[in-house]
Amino acid sequence: MKETVIEVKNLKKIYGKKSERQYEALKSVSFDVMNGEFVGIMGASGSGKTTLLNMLATFDKPTSGSVKIQNEEVAKLKGNSLADFRASKIGFIFQDFNLLENLTAAENIALPLSLQGVSAKKIDSIIVKVASEIGIFDLLKKYPGELSGGQKQRVACARALVHKPAILFGDEPTGALDSKSARELLELMTEVNEKMGTSILMVTHDAFSASFCKRIIFIKDGKIERELVKSESQSRSNFYQEVLDLLGTFEQ
Amino acid sequence: MLQKLALNGVRNRWKDYLVLFSGLVISSSIFYLFETLSTNGKYLKANGSVVSAIGYVFTFGSILLMLITFVYINYANNFLLSMRQRDYGLFMMLGARKKKIGQLIWLETMIIGFMSTIMGIIVGIILSTGMQNIVIKALGLTAKFYEPIWWKAILWTLVLYLGLFFLAAIYNAFLMTRKPALKLLKSQQKIARKQLSMPLQILQALLGLVLLSVGYWVIMNPMKYGVKTIPISLFTIAFGTFFVFNSIVTVGISFLRKTSLAKRKLNGFTLGQLEFRIHDYTKILTGVTMLLALALGAITTGIGFNNITEKTADSQSAYTFALFQPTTKQKALMKQLKIEKKAKYAYKVVGNIVYFDETQFASQPFETVKFNSKDFTSSYTKLSVKQLKQNIYDLQEFTTSTQPNAKVLIIDSKAFQKVQSTTQSALFFRAKDTYSAQGVFSQISRIEFAKSKEKDHAKAIQGNYDAKIYIVKPLYAGLEFMGIFLGIGFLAMLASCLMFKILSGAFADVKRYEMLEKLGVRKTLLRGAIAKEIAILFILPAILGVAHVLVGLNLFKGMLINPYYGIWVPFSIFAVLYLGYYLLVFLMYQRIVLKRKG
């Protein structure tokens, strides 16, 4: 039996104060993400996908509705408990890496653990383990400035995973990468999902990236428009084609 | 349209502008304060006659302050640029002409410069008036010929500041129009990490230590090097400090990063920040250290002069006052004092001779004082009649008041009774807490002067406490005023320099702290990280600066007897002011970096 990791119910987000012209970015969105899933959220710019992600990742608060991560109501968190929640339950890969450029790769990866008060010895052994899994062991002593985009994103990925979060969020993680690095990163994420069993939710507008997911939720004008599930037997390139076809009908 | 946009930019960030503006006002007002002293020749001559080097000190101070001002405006300007370049980059993206942009930034810099200089002079006049009053009230001294509104100072401040702003404006306009728009937009993303090779760092560390010890040694032996002491020590200590910061501190930080301490909470981040910054900071930290040493040294010596006034007055004789035929009013006044020692002697005056009875000196021995310059204490020795007869001057000093140019004779009881004259009585006493009792002393002294046959005030009250204050005080008053004045000026300047340097780095940190917040770092932890980082940047120069002062005070041995006496007073005053600046920078930094809620 699989548990739900994320439970989204009637989520709404309205921008602008009451006196001003308001803009409804999300209109009552509901869906669940089960443990171990690899879910993609697709949509054109302005569709509300980033708004959705920001609320899921606790960076923004919904106007109404609820987001539960491992049965905890996220919107109610504030101050320290919010920070602690982020630090322990959430991993995040950003489009622009968001690595701290004055720390080495190892130090960047160690940060979530340091925050949780893990002992220095333990930190070292965990980093070595994660880094070898992700294939960045050789890069540990380097500074972000000395790494390529793909390498940076792998480090960011390691940082997002090191504290074993309940869910890994990705915000266009391949957006700033060349096609080869992008493919490598997506393969890495698939591996993380399959071998480590980490649940992943990724926002993208790129059909190729989305084709790595097991399930894709399409958003248009703040509403869920469609959902695609990849069947067990389906190959990735076949799924990719299906996504492209669907997108084609979407635009019309 | 562009003017409107630029103005809007200013309005949106008026708090940041306020920081810049107030910093510049502080700087120019301090410069003005200094110039009111250093360009006032009459004042310097009147107060500096005690120390021949005073003119030299001021020329030197003036040049130093100008250099600092130059560095300071450079930092302030960088702060302005780091605030503005994104906006201007955006304007360029929107298709604004480079020439127009150049004009705008030129105008903006000049307006800020002009307004802050004028404000600075006004504040400077207010400050110097207030300072004069405070110093006079608190220390009970007058700074002769000191003028808070001094046109030469106004002129010099205007010339220097407007000149520097003119240069800064040209530089800004040049920079803004030369850099491609994209670079301006992304200017905050570049980072640099310069790492020297290990042997080079070790070499620098050694060089730094050698230079520092040479400097210290020269200061410890000022007699050997004479006039050259100050230039040699200043040069060696300044460069020594620089090398120490550039090597030992950086090595120390990178060493700390490798320990397990760096893996606790945000320590690693703080150390990383510091390691990336320290090379950028070595120059300013050196400057701040030197200024701090000068400021602390100036305040310490200033207060040292106050101590010495007090103590020299106390230590001149064993008695605070000798009253001849004390009046009832004087006796009443004496009740307000804490009398430590009292002696009453009968005397008779015949012609030019004052007679005392020797038996009275046997039963109440006359005392003399011995002053211990190490801990500033006085010890008193009782004189036997024989000793007193040999050192009759100690007694004669006091009798001048009642009988000018009189001879003092101590004779035996029988002879004393035979002296054909009325028996009069002299009251000698020593009071405690002399400093706070100065008001009562001057009243007693005035009555004594009225009784005296001596016309000259100073001579009439000779030997008495009040006379010593009267003579000693003006000697040191000017120096004391100068020391405190300079010290506070230097402190304000150095702290402002450090403030701008730190704050202009703050804009680049906004993104980093945002990132950390997204990673789930508690607000309190973020604040703690900022507090630590800034604290280290404040503490490093403080440690070396204090060391420099402790050694440097040695130079004042000649003037101050013991320059280390009561040293905790200026040090704590200084620590409080310095701490205040630290808190100010911390709060401002936090406001820039953690402005978002959430």
Side-chain angles (χ1 to χ4, degrees):
Chain A
M1 206 191 78
K2 282 201 167 172
E3 309 160 36
T4 44
V5 179
I6 305 178
E7 214 182 319
V8 181
K9 254 192 204 147
N10 302 324
L11 196 64
K12 262 192 201 174
K13 180 70 187 179
I14 300 172
Y15 286 113
K17 286 175 198 155
K18 279 195 176 145
S19 54
E20 293 164 11
R21 214 172 71 95
Q22 294 187 327
Y23 172 69
E24 202 170 11
L26 276 184
K27 305 163 184 165
S28 194
V29 171
S30 304
F31 67 93
D32 289 344
V33 176
M34 307 304 270
N35 200 6
E37 267 199 299
F38 188 169
V39 177
I41 293 182
M42 276 199 85
S45 346
S47 61
K49 58 183 193 306
T50 306
T51 309
L52 176 62
L53 185 72
N54 279 343
M55 278 182 291
L56 295 183
T58 72
F59 297 156
D60 202 353
K61 295 228 184 296
T63 311
S64 70
S66 95
V67 176
K68 281 184 183 169
I69 295 180
Q70 285 194 333
N71 291 320
E72 194 157 354
E73 183 58 58
V74 171
K76 281 188 188 148
L77 294 170
K78 254 188 231 153
N80 284 344
S81 51
L82 176 64
D84 293 348
F85 183 82
R86 280 180 195 164
S88 58
K89 296 281 167 70
I90 291 176
F92 208 111
I93 311 179
F94 302 87
Q95 179 174 357
D96 50 358
F97 322 121
N98 270 5
L99 292 174
L100 292 159
E101 66 271 38
N102 45 20
L103 297 182
T104 61
E107 286 165 336
N108 262 294
I109 300 170
L111 205 58
L113 297 175
S114 306
L115 289 175
Q116 288 177 12
V118 179
S119 75
K121 244 188 192 169
K122 229 174 171 181
I123 289 178
D124 288 336
S125 66
I126 295 175
I127 288 174
V128 169
K129 190 168 160 265
V130 172
S132 339
E133 277 168 359
I134 290 178
I136 48 165
F137 187 76
D138 301 334
L139 309 177
L140 282 180
K141 283 198 176 140
K142 294 201 168 160
Y143 283 89
E146 302 163 313
L147 302 175
S148 73
Q151 289 172 326
K152 272 190 218 170
Q153 202 58 301
R154 279 165 170 270
V155 172
C157 191
R159 184 180 68 181
L161 290 170
V162 72
H163 55 297
K164 299 214 173 358
I167 176 105
L168 174 65
F169 290 111
D171 181 11
E172 304 271 10
T174 57
L177 303 181
D178 60 84
S179 64
K180 185 169 166 277
S181 310
R183 179 189 281 270
E184 280 170 4
L185 182 77
L186 289 162
E187 279 164 358
L188 175 71
M189 287 173 75
T190 311
E191 205 183 302
V192 163
N193 175 248
E194 283 169 358
K195 289 195 181 149
M196 294 162 79
T198 312
S199 320
I200 301 178
L201 188 139
M202 175 174 79
V203 160
T204 182
H205 69 274
D206 168 39
F208 175 75
S209 300
S211 72
F212 283 81
C213 304
K214 305 255 172 64
R215 178 158 69 106
I216 302 171
I217 297 169
F218 291 87
I219 291 194
K220 195 179 172 186
D221 300 330
K223 278 188 294 194
I224 296 184
E225 191 82 10
R226 277 288 301 270
E227 219 182 284
L228 265 189
V229 182
K230 187 180 156 201
S231 59
E232 289 284 327
S233 55
Q234 203 173 8
S235 74
R236 198 194 53 75
S237 55
N238 190 292
F239 191 51
Y240 177 43
Q241 202 53 54
E242 204 183 333
V243 175
L244 282 180
D245 291 345
L246 186 70
L247 282 178
T249 61
F250 245 45
E251 307 290 314
Q252 284 155 26
Chain B
M1 186 60 203
L2 265 183
Q3 262 111 333
K4 232 182 214 172
L5 275 176
L7 212 68
N8 235 344
V10 174
R11 211 172 295 147
N12 286 338
R13 307 183 74 166
W14 71 270
K15 274 184 181 165
D16 296 327
Y17 272 89
L18 204 67
V19 171
L20 176 76
F21 198 74
S22 50
L24 288 170
V25 169
I26 292 172
S27 157
S28 48
S29 56
I30 297 295
F31 188 79
Y32 174 83
L33 271 181
F34 190 85
E35 290 301 301
T36 55
L37 285 177
S38 75
T39 56
N40 190 337
K42 218 173 171 185
Y43 164 79
L44 285 182
K45 239 182 229 159
N47 296 283
S49 52
V50 188
V51 186
S52 56
I54 214 76
Y56 173 71
V57 167
F58 264 90
T59 327
F60 180 73
S62 244
I63 293 169
L64 200 71
L65 203 64
M66 269 184 215
L67 281 175
I68 296 159
T69 308
F70 186 74
V71 173
Y72 179 78
I73 289 196
N74 186 19
Y75 283 131
N77 192 40
N78 279 344
F79 180 78
L80 175 75
L81 278 179
S82 64
M83 254 185 351
R84 294 300 276 163
Q85 54 189 2
R86 244 190 77 90
D87 293 348
Y88 280 107
L90 202 67
F91 296 161
M92 254 184 244
M93 281 294 200
L94 293 173
R97 283 205 193 133
K98 291 213 159 186
K99 206 178 151 197
K100 192 83 193 159
I101 295 276
Q103 277 170 1
L104 264 182
I105 188 85
W106 191 88
L107 205 68
E108 194 179 322
T109 317
M110 279 313 277
I111 288 174
I112 288 174
F114 187 74
M115 292 203 318
S116 57
T117 311
I118 297 294
M119 275 288 287
I121 290 173
I122 294 168
V123 172
I125 289 171
I126 295 168
L127 275 183
S128 47
T129 316
M131 191 99 152
Q132 195 192 20
N133 288 337
I134 288 170
V135 170
I136 287 169
K137 263 201 194 127
L139 306 164
L141 48 86
T142 39
K144 262 190 217 160
F145 300 114
Y146 180 71
E147 301 277 351
I149 301 175
W150 189 249
W151 67 268
K152 261 190 190 168
I154 295 177
L155 190 74
W156 270 112
T157 314
L158 275 177
V159 165
L160 182 75
Y161 272 77
L162 292 186
L164 284 177
F165 272 109
F166 186 74
L167 289 178
I170 290 175
Y171 170 79
N172 287 354
F174 180 77
L175 191 80
M176 287 289 188
T177 50
R178 275 302 159 97
K179 264 195 187 171
L182 212 64
K183 228 179 192 166
L184 287 179
L185 273 173
K186 303 205 165 169
S187 55
Q188 277 160 32
Q189 286 164 20
K190 63 168 197 284
I191 47 128
R193 179 173 176 268
K194 291 171 228 155
Q195 186 100 60
L196 296 169
S197 65
M198 213 36 172
L200 206 61
Q201 286 205 338
I202 292 170
L203 191 76
Q204 283 205 0
L206 282 176
L207 196 63
L209 289 177
V210 166
L211 281 173
L212 277 187
S213 17
V214 168
Y216 282 179
W217 197 79
V218 170
I219 284 187
M220 299 302 271
N221 302 286
M223 290 306 165
K224 237 181 193 163
Y225 299 93
V227 210
K228 285 185 201 138
T229 313
I230 291 177
I232 293 178
S233 55
L234 212 68
F235 176 82
T236 49
I237 290 177
F239 279 92
T241 309
F242 175 78
F243 286 127
V244 165
F245 279 132
N246 212 21
S247 57
I248 295 179
V249 173
T250 43
V251 170
I253 290 172
S254 49
F255 171 77
L256 276 179
R257 277 183 92 173
K258 291 195 183 89
T259 64
S260 58
L261 194 74
K263 293 200 173 73
R264 286 247 313 271
K265 304 281 178 189
L266 282 183
N267 284 352
F269 172 73
T270 306
L271 288 170
Q273 289 266 77
L274 284 172
E275 194 178 349
F276 269 72
R277 291 209 164 140
I278 205 82
H279 279 289
D280 207 22
Y281 270 77
T282 38
K283 269 174 260 153
I284 175 115
L285 286 182
T286 310
V288 166
T289 307
M290 298 311 285
L291 268 184
L292 190 138
L294 289 174
L296 188 52
I299 292 184
T300 310
T301 37
I303 289 180
F305 281 123
N306 191 39
N307 285 334
I308 206 175
T309 314
E310 188 55 26
K311 293 297 169 187
T312 15
D314 266 345
S315 64
Q316 294 290 314
S317 72
Y319 299 99
T320 318
F321 268 102
L323 304 177
F324 293 88
Q325 294 288 73
T327 63
T328 41
K329 182 91 208 289
Q330 280 180 324
K331 281 179 184 159
L333 282 167
M334 268 178 71
K335 290 211 174 94
Q336 294 175 36
L337 303 170
K338 283 184 200 150
I339 307 292
E340 196 185 358
K341 179 97 198 167
K342 205 153 78 171
K344 212 168 169 184
Y345 304 109
Y347 71 94
K348 286 180 178 170
V349 182
V350 178
N352 228 2
I353 301 170
V354 182
Y355 294 98
F356 284 94
D357 181 355
E358 117 185 334
T359 48
Q360 285 184 330
F361 285 103
S363 58
Q364 310 173 73
F366 193 78
E367 294 190 355
T368 56
V369 67
K370 205 173 166 226
F371 184 63
N372 183 346
S373 63
K374 235 186 203 149
D375 51 4
F376 274 52
T377 49
S378 304
S379 53
Y380 304 99
T381 350
K382 291 183 173 143
L383 295 182
S384 66
V385 177
K386 199 177 154 200
Q387 281 169 324
L388 180 63
K389 280 181 180 164
Q390 279 160 4
N391 298 302
I392 201 70
Y393 177 76
D394 286 335
L395 184 58
Q396 197 174 10
E397 189 186 13
F398 290 102
T399 59
T400 323
S401 151
T402 179
Q403 210 63 35
N405 309 317
K407 207 177 158 194
V408 174
L409 276 182
I410 297 173
I411 49 181
D412 62 43
S413 243
K414 273 183 197 161
F416 185 71
Q417 271 162 24
K418 278 181 194 152
V419 174
Q420 291 293 312
S421 180
T422 47
T423 311
Q424 292 173 303
S425 122
L427 180 63
F428 286 70
F429 71 87
R430 179 162 77 237
K432 270 169 136 179
D433 301 334
T434 44
Y435 188 73
S436 53
Q438 280 183 29
V440 182
F441 289 160
S442 63
Q443 287 182 56
I444 295 177
S445 164
R446 230 172 291 139
I447 299 170
E448 197 65 17
F449 176 48
K451 286 189 285 181
S452 172
K453 288 173 195 153
E454 178 62 59
K455 294 276 170 351
D456 183 65
H457 188 222
K459 273 189 190 159
I461 56 173
Q462 209 184 87
N464 293 339
Y465 178 87
D466 206 43
K468 292 154 208 158
I469 287 286
Y470 192 80
I471 295 162
V472 175
K473 204 154 204 171
L475 240 78
Y476 294 119
L479 291 172
E480 186 183 342
F481 182 62
M482 246 179 246
I484 294 171
F485 205 108
L486 278 184
I488 292 173
F490 279 142
L491 172 69
M493 211 63 176
L494 80 90
S496 308
C497 267
L498 195 55
M499 183 170 93
F500 270 119
K501 179 66 187 166
I502 294 175
L503 288 183
S504 59
F507 293 103
D509 269 355
V510 174
K511 228 185 141 213
R512 280 178 213 143
Y513 281 93
E514 221 170 87
M515 249 183 254
L516 285 174
E517 226 174 301
K518 282 187 174 170
L519 284 179
V521 182
R522 290 181 175 202
K523 263 257 160 82
T524 43
L525 218 54
L526 288 178
R527 255 181 236 129
I530 296 173
K532 262 187 228 164
E533 191 183 328
I534 299 174
I536 290 172
L537 292 176
F538 264 80
I539 287 170
L540 286 176
I543 293 173
L544 270 179
V546 166
H548 293 350
V549 173
L550 289 178
V551 176
L553 280 179
N554 202 50
L555 281 177
F556 290 89
K557 257 190 182 151
M559 267 186 272
L560 287 180
I561 308 174
N562 178 7
Y564 299 98
Y565 174 78
I567 204 169
W568 63 272
V569 178
F571 273 55
S572 16
I573 292 174
F574 201 86
V576 168
L577 293 173
Y578 199 63
L579 191 72
Y581 253 107
Y582 164 70
L583 289 176
L584 185 72
V585 173
F586 168 59
L587 286 176
M588 291 207 282
Y589 199 92
Q590 213 188 117
R591 212 190 54 71
I592 293 175
V593 170
L594 304 176
K595 50 188 150 195
R596 250 152 280 224
K597 58 179 192 310

